[in-house]
């Protein structure tokens, strides 16, 4: 794998010591020092090789990127349910639309998904990696790996 950049995109972990052995095994198997993009601000301990590089995802995203993402999330979730045909037990219950009840969760879901995609796009643009390894918990990355493989040639 010499000469081919590998980036590990690490989702947030409350306890980085749990993921450290996995990153060590990945580095040993690849025989390389990857670039580690992390949302944890204490991720320096994960630099298992002296030439591993830790980058915090906030360093990849500009104020304009955050504004763009916020605008798109707002446009995406704003009254998304208003076009649904009211069906008792499916889209509403006793006249209460389910959409309005899950607005907050939809906001968090789409904000996370769009942020992760934007970070991957910045990784590809900035590092032109041969491989991106996504490490997360609780479906942090959902279908992002399939999207990357099918649409971004990585």
């Amino acid at each position: 794998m010499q000469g081919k950049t590998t980036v590990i995109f690490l989702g947030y972990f409350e306890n980085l010591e749990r993921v450290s052995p996995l990153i060590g095994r990945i580095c040993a198997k690849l025989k390389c020092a990857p670039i580690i993009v992390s949302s944890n601000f204490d991720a320096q301990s994960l630099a298992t090789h002296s030439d591993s590089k830790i980058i915090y995802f906030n360093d990849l995203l500009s104020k304009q990127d955050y504004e763009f993402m916020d605008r798109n999330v707002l446009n995406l979730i704003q009254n998304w349910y208003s076009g649904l045909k009211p069906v008792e037990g499916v889209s509403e219950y006793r006249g209460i639309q389910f959409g309005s009840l899950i607005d907050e969760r939809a906001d968090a879901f789409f904000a996370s998904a769009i942020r992760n995609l934007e970070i991957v796009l910045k990784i590809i643009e900035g590092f032109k990696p041969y491989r991106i390894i996504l490490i997360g918990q609780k479906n942090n990355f959902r279908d992002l790996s399939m999207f990357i493989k099918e649409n971004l040639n990585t």
Side-chain angles (χ1 to χ4, degrees):
M1 288 288 124
Q2 285 301 85
K4 295 184 177 180
T5 303
T6 296
V7 174
I8 296 175
F9 180 9
L10 183 64
Y12 178 78
F13 282 87
E14 198 167 305
N15 182 355
L16 280 178
E17 292 185 18
R18 288 184 53 207
V19 75
S20 187
L22 174 62
I23 291 176
R25 287 192 302 273
I26 290 170
C27 291
K29 186 173 183 172
L30 296 174
K31 297 181 175 112
C32 70
I35 297 169
I36 300 172
V37 176
S38 174
S39 62
N40 289 69
F41 290 107
D42 56 349
Q44 201 57 43
S45 65
L46 297 176
T48 55
H49 296 280
S50 60
D51 52 347
S52 287
K53 185 175 182 180
I54 304 288
I55 297 174
Y56 301 104
F57 77 76
N58 284 342
D59 295 336
L60 296 176
L61 299 171
S62 68
K63 180 180 177 189
Q64 292 80 15
D65 292 327
Y66 280 107
E67 289 170 355
F68 173 79
M69 291 184 291
D70 288 346
R71 209 171 28 255
N72 280 291
V73 168
L74 184 61
N75 289 338
L76 189 62
I77 65 157
Q78 208 168 32
N79 296 320
W80 61 270
Y81 50 86
S82 63
L84 296 176
K85 180 180 176 186
V87 177
E88 182 68 25
V90 176
S91 62
E92 69 177 26
Y93 178 73
R94 293 187 180 200
I96 299 171
Q97 288 190 321
F98 292 141
S100 62
L101 298 175
I102 61 170
D103 264 352
E104 189 175 314
R105 287 184 181 226
D107 178 52
F109 171 81
F110 285 115
S112 174
I114 288 173
R115 184 196 69 230
N116 288 339
L117 177 58
E118 190 67 28
I119 292 168
V120 166
L121 293 173
K122 296 289 184 181
I123 288 170
I124 291 170
E125 178 185 300
F127 304 110
K128 298 175 184 23
Y130 170 74
R131 174 183 294 127
I132 299 175
I133 299 172
L134 306 172
I135 301 176
Q137 56 187 352
K138 297 180 185 172
N139 294 324
N140 278 9
F141 298 114
R142 293 173 184 83
D143 297 323
L144 188 57
S145 59
M146 293 306 295
F147 176 81
I148 294 168
K149 181 180 178 191
E150 293 172 5
N151 297 292
L152 302 177
N153 250 357
T154 301

